[in-house]
Amino acid sequence: MKDCIIVGGGIAGLQAAIQLGRYVDYDVLVIDQGQGRSTLCKKYNNILGWTEGISGEELRRRGREQAKSFGVSFAEDSIESAQSTSDGFILTGAQGSRYEARTLLLATGLSDRIPEIEDLYPTLGESVYVCPDCDGYEIQDRRTVVLGSGSSGAGMTLLLRERTKDLIYINHEQTPVDQELLSSMEAYGIQYMEQPAAKILQEQGRLKGVQLQSGEMIEAERGFVSFGGNQVHSGLAKQLGAELAHNRHVITDPRTKMTTAEHVWAAGDLAVHSELATAAMGDGVISAIWIHKALKKLKASS
């Protein structure tokens, strides 16, 4: 039985693994599918010390190596089910693999809903973004296009107005937009287009514009996507009895990051907080500290 299993090897899970590994006494396993939001990001520009930025893939690679140096082990798997037992938890993987642990950290994150648009993915995290708090700085005073769906995209466009006045909103899915949002965009002089995007024009990840289905070309230097309906991977938390918020994010104790299920913690985009890589790091460290405290008590009583 492992002392702690971390489900999810993204930014939060890896930071927790590093912290737990440094306590030396614990047998820690990270189970990861090798996917997730951070794998799509070509460059994080807001992380302390990385003045030239770092890709999500490289950050994860370095994090895995760092965690391994402290004795943390890794398994590539997708956890399909979780149940609590009298002395911990049993997890079952996609091919029937069975894992047991005294404590759990869920760092399964979320997936942005992004339609298949030709050449969009090479630009993500390089010149097209999803988080205004993370990357609003990157569009400062630049011509920016927002690709989105209905009111979700309109709301993002209006939020970005504090960064740049040169905005175009392309309602790719042509879904309804609240009249109040339409009126606000019109009042601010934001161009609104209700037409699918056929292709992203880019060079080595740098956005040049958007080709619409009609053939019209829209020039832009930067972009944001906001389609709504993101998938929060909180299924395991729900199976274990953890309380979820109305948006399916997992509710945690603000101090310890433990969920309402005993000895189950949640960190990163899965939990209720701002969706920032740097915030995920903080969640991971705090979770690990309190998992350490719990493990000390468990071992003392066994």
Side-chain angles (χ1 to χ4, degrees):
M1 175 178 284
K2 300 294 181 182
D3 291 306
C4 181
I5 289 179
I6 300 170
V7 185
I11 308 303
L14 288 171
Q15 189 69 71
I18 291 166
Q19 182 69 26
L20 276 173
R22 288 171 61 86
Y23 288 117
V24 180
D25 297 329
Y26 303 130
D27 188 359
V28 179
L29 172 67
V30 178
I31 303 175
D32 184 44
Q33 300 181 66
Q35 301 175 7
R37 245 184 174 189
S38 55
T39 63
L40 301 177
C41 185
K42 303 300 184 297
K43 187 182 289 187
Y44 287 110
N45 289 312
N46 66 333
I47 297 178
L48 179 67
W50 295 99
T51 54
E52 302 302 318
I54 184 171
S55 72
E57 286 280 23
E58 178 63 12
L59 192 60
R60 286 167 68 116
R61 185 191 70 78
R62 292 179 182 229
R64 287 192 295 271
E65 292 306 310
Q66 192 172 357
K68 287 177 182 178
S69 75
F70 298 124
V72 175
S73 57
F74 285 78
E76 186 175 339
D77 203 347
S78 173
I79 300 302
E80 302 295 320
S81 66
Q83 64 183 85
S84 58
T85 66
S86 59
D87 58 352
F89 304 92
I90 296 175
L91 307 180
T92 305
Q95 304 302 318
S97 301
R98 178 187 169 107
Y99 308 90
E100 295 185 42
R102 292 182 174 85
T103 62
L104 288 181
L105 171 59
L106 303 179
T108 45
L110 63 79
S111 298
D112 297 281
R113 189 175 72 84
I114 302 176
E116 291 291 335
I117 301 173
E118 185 178 349
D119 272 354
L120 173 58
Y121 276 84
T123 68
L124 292 176
E126 181 68 45
S127 56
V128 176
Y129 312 100
V130 299
C131 172
D133 294 309
C134 307
D135 296 306
Y137 175 87
E138 307 300 331
I139 72 166
Q140 190 73 37
D141 299 324
R142 295 177 181 270
R143 183 171 174 81
T144 300
V145 61
V146 178
L147 290 165
S149 178
S151 295
S152 176
M156 175 68 80
T157 305
L158 288 165
L159 181 63
L160 295 173
R161 187 180 171 275
E162 65 188 31
R163 290 292 189 175
T164 180
K165 303 298 186 291
D166 197 354
L167 285 162
I168 309 104
Y169 173 37
I170 298 174
N171 187 352
H172 172 76
E173 294 182 330
Q174 301 173 280
T175 48
V177 179
D178 291 344
Q179 184 58 50
E180 183 179 349
L181 296 175
L182 286 171
S183 298
S184 294
M185 286 194 295
E186 183 178 5
Y188 289 128
I190 296 171
Q191 187 177 358
Y192 172 60
M193 311 186 77
E194 199 169 284
Q195 186 179 158
K199 181 179 181 180
I200 300 301
L201 309 175
Q202 55 91 23
E203 292 180 6
Q204 297 182 327
R206 306 305 291 177
L207 182 69
K208 301 296 181 181
V210 178
Q211 179 182 327
L212 300 179
Q213 195 174 71
S214 65
E216 183 179 356
M217 305 290 189
I218 305 298
E219 292 185 359
E221 298 175 88
R222 297 287 187 271
F224 262 82
V225 292
S226 181
F227 290 92
N230 294 343
Q231 182 183 2
V232 183
H233 301 295
S234 53
L236 295 177
K238 185 176 181 180
Q239 288 179 29
L240 293 167
E243 184 181 357
L244 306 185
H246 70 281
N247 57 6
R248 292 186 55 79
H249 286 270
V250 180
I251 295 172
T252 63
D253 183 281
R255 185 182 182 202
T256 67
K257 307 304 175 185
M258 191 167 77
T259 71
T260 55
E262 185 72 12
H263 293 151
V264 179
W265 284 259
D269 291 345
L270 176 66
V272 179
H273 80 318
S274 176
E275 294 167 7
L276 290 152
T278 46
M281 289 179 182
D283 275 5
V285 168
I286 294 168
S287 297
I289 290 170
W290 285 90
I291 291 169
H292 162 62
K293 293 176 186 291
L295 285 171
K296 284 178 66 177
K297 290 181 180 179
L298 287 172
K299 292 197 171 192
S301 61
S302 62

